[in-house]
Amino acid sequence: MHLSWRPRIVAHHVVFGNAAWSPDPVMAEIKRLEFTIDLFKLLIGRLEFPEVALSEPQVLLEVSRDGVPNWVFDEQDKNHSVDFPTIGVLTIDHGSVRYRDPDNHTELALDIKTREDSKDNPELGLEVAGKGRFKGLPTTLHARGGGLLSLGSAENPYPIRANAMLGSTRASIDGKLLDPLHLKGEELNFKLEGSDLALLFPIIGVPFPPTPAYKLVGFLDREGDVWTFRRFKGTVGQSDLGGNFTVDRGQRPQMISADLVSQQLLMKDLGGFIGAERGSQPSRTPPLGDKVLPAEPFSLEKLNAANADVHFRGEKILTENMLLNKMSAHLTVNDGVLKLTPLDFGIAGGNLVTRIEMDGRHRPIAIQVDTTAKGLHLDQLFPTFRLADANTGTMGAGQTGWPWQLGGTDARLGQRRGRFDHGWWFGRGVGSQTVEP
């Protein structure tokens, strides 16, 4: 120890024991620890370290089979974060961190060091690189951050630049964290791309339908338990997509809110919503013949994974055989009950309005569908028919109360009033062009 108002303390071979349930007896080991402490701040009850230097630290972070982390101690509430002291400058010389969670099939090895050129570029002086498996997916990570200035304070934004690969999903962030210990950011530039949005479910627990390859760019923000992907733009398949997407993890189940817009949408890119397409994983039980509904079962796990309130608007919809000029939908999920109220397509000068309710609280899932056609122009609806100009008019029709049940791999349509073959609404071809009331 070197005595002064900011005494310098040096310790060698510092070892922290591990939790009793771990097969590894050591949680952390530091070959050399050097730090200074501010005695003036200590006299008024504030713990502040102007400088901390770690040489060859090795840290093991792990979660037990019962879900207990080894960094939570007996007297600590695991639902509340630790208040860290203020650190002025932290340097790390060839450190390593291992993280493992056997129940989640996660094991990562990270190398951490202060870059030799950090004095010339203090904004991104810390480097982290690692690889392993995260929730069973092969994972690589590379990140650069500041010198951890004022680590425990939100007064000094912390610069960060990172990219990661999890399976076929790639993500990157670039910006500043207002509170690095709690991952609170202010409009972090965030990029996300991959082969299928449905593959995000095991990673972040947010249920998405299967999609084609996607690439999205926007701003990521966190406030408490609320994560927001704000003002994002990008593509899903050949369709453009933009808007705001929010997940509130503080609610049980989590709450998803979104306001989405597409200027030009290909109907086949929506196939995952109705089961006609499976994104990067083709359906093993595809729709039969000219049908668009799937023969595979719906996922009750995903239906119960979150509540949702999603608004979607498509300005121009492209199908194989006809142009839908507009689409709007309002999707809600509440405790396993999904509603589309309404799903409105602009077509043939009129509208096709459908209201759908899926009740996942029952096995098999109970489905109610009400469909109304308003003001459809026959010459636009059936362009190959030879209709006399004087006799060409409009058509409206309604089909209400179609009780559906989906169980196992069989989709059965219950009794209904009349028949209205509407498979071609999803771009499957007009077929025989017949309507039977």
Side-chain angles (χ1 to χ4, degrees):
M1 178 182 293
H2 303 275
L3 295 178
S4 69
W5 284 112
R6 285 190 173 184
R8 181 176 299 274
I9 301 170
V10 180
H12 295 271
H13 304 294
V14 180
V15 177
F16 293 88
N18 205 352
W21 46 260
S22 174
D24 292 289
V26 176
M27 175 184 176
E29 185 173 1
I30 305 172
K31 185 175 182 180
R32 187 176 189 273
L33 168 64
E34 181 177 350
F35 63 92
T36 59
I37 186 169
D38 192 323
L39 293 183
F40 283 112
K41 300 291 178 63
L42 190 62
L43 291 175
I44 60 174
R46 290 177 56 186
L47 191 57
E48 183 172 316
F49 299 99
E51 298 177 34
V52 176
L54 307 176
S55 178
E56 298 185 28
Q58 299 179 22
V59 180
L60 170 62
L61 303 177
E62 58 182 332
V63 180
S64 72
R65 294 284 184 182
D66 298 326
V68 179
N70 70 337
W71 60 88
V72 175
F73 303 101
D74 291 340
E75 66 275 11
Q76 179 188 337
D77 185 349
K78 67 179 181 180
N79 295 320
H80 292 84
S81 59
V82 177
D83 291 328
F84 282 87
T86 299
I87 298 176
V89 177
L90 173 62
T91 59
I92 299 176
D93 177 20
H94 296 96
S96 65
V97 176
R98 286 186 297 151
Y99 175 78
R100 64 188 182 201
D101 184 346
D103 274 0
N104 281 330
H105 308 288
T106 296
E107 184 157 359
L108 298 170
L110 306 175
D111 292 325
I112 304 174
K113 65 179 180 180
T114 301
R115 292 176 59 92
E116 295 180 359
D117 60 355
S118 62
K119 294 182 180 179
D120 299 326
N121 186 15
E123 279 287 297
L124 297 171
L126 193 71
E127 184 173 33
V128 178
K131 61 182 179 179
R133 302 189 75 84
F134 181 78
K135 295 188 176 180
L137 298 173
T139 300
T140 58
L141 170 70
H142 183 267
R144 293 190 62 183
L148 301 187
L149 302 176
S150 300
L151 183 62
S153 173
E155 298 175 357
N156 298 303
Y158 178 73
I160 187 170
R161 183 182 301 162
N163 56 77
M165 184 87 173
L166 295 89
S168 62
T169 302
R170 295 173 295 277
S172 66
I173 59 172
D174 186 357
K176 293 186 177 182
L177 295 170
L178 296 181
D179 189 352
L181 292 177
H182 301 92
L183 297 178
K184 180 180 178 182
E186 182 180 39
E187 292 195 338
L188 288 167
N189 293 291
F190 182 58
K191 297 180 181 179
L192 184 67
E193 60 182 304
S195 60
D196 186 350
L197 279 169
L199 299 180
L200 291 175
F201 182 61
I203 299 174
I204 61 175
V206 177
F208 290 100
T211 69
Y214 64 92
K215 185 174 183 179
L216 305 171
V217 179
F219 300 98
L220 184 66
D221 189 21
R222 180 190 179 190
E223 186 69 39
D225 292 320
V226 180
W227 293 80
T228 302
F229 191 20
R230 197 184 313 277
R231 303 200 308 275
F232 72 85
K233 296 180 180 180
T235 57
V236 178
Q238 300 179 58
S239 305
D240 66 88
L241 185 67
N244 298 308
F245 186 91
T246 299
V247 179
D248 186 350
R249 294 191 176 276
Q251 300 190 36
R252 293 292 181 273
Q254 61 187 333
M255 181 66 189
I256 298 172
S257 303
D259 190 358
L260 310 175
V261 177
S262 176
Q263 299 299 322
Q264 181 164 296
L265 175 70
L266 270 68
M267 182 58 71
K268 65 179 182 180
D269 292 335
L270 281 180
F273 287 88
I274 59 173
E277 300 287 345
R278 288 289 303 170
S280 65
Q281 301 177 356
S283 172
R284 288 175 292 182
T285 53
L288 301 176
D290 61 349
K291 306 303 181 185
V292 296
L293 291 178
E296 63 187 48
F298 281 83
S299 171
L300 287 172
E301 179 189 10
K302 287 190 174 182
L303 195 57
N304 290 289
N307 289 335
D309 186 356
V310 179
H311 292 266
F312 176 81
R313 186 176 76 255
E315 296 296 333
K316 184 178 181 182
I317 316 297
L318 302 178
T319 67
E320 294 178 4
N321 298 298
M322 62 183 63
L323 175 66
L324 306 176
N325 53 8
K326 274 187 181 297
M327 170 189 173
S328 63
H330 182 203
L331 170 73
T332 60
V333 179
N334 187 19
D335 296 332
V337 179
L338 181 150
K339 294 182 180 180
L340 270 169
T341 53
L343 174 61
D344 188 345
F345 288 97
I347 181 173
N351 290 84
L352 183 69
V353 183
T354 303
R355 298 177 183 273
I356 302 173
E357 179 176 326
M358 299 175 59
D359 193 341
R361 297 172 299 182
H362 302 282
R363 293 178 182 269
I365 298 175
I367 299 181
Q368 185 79 16
V369 180
D370 296 332
T371 300
T372 303
K374 301 178 180 179
L376 305 184
H377 289 256
L378 297 181
D379 56 339
Q380 299 179 39
L381 190 61
F382 304 122
T384 61
F385 275 17
R386 294 182 178 179
L387 300 174
D389 292 341
N391 296 326
T392 301
T394 61
M395 180 183 72
Q399 284 294 144
T400 61
W402 295 5
W404 288 36
Q405 287 187 327
L406 297 183
T409 59
D410 182 33
R412 301 184 299 276
L413 180 61
Q415 292 183 352
R416 58 183 183 177
R417 295 192 297 273
R419 193 181 93 187
F420 186 27
D421 189 351
H422 62 294
W424 51 270
W425 293 120
F426 295 97
R428 303 295 294 183
V430 174
S432 61
Q433 297 179 328
T434 60
V435 177
E436 299 182 11

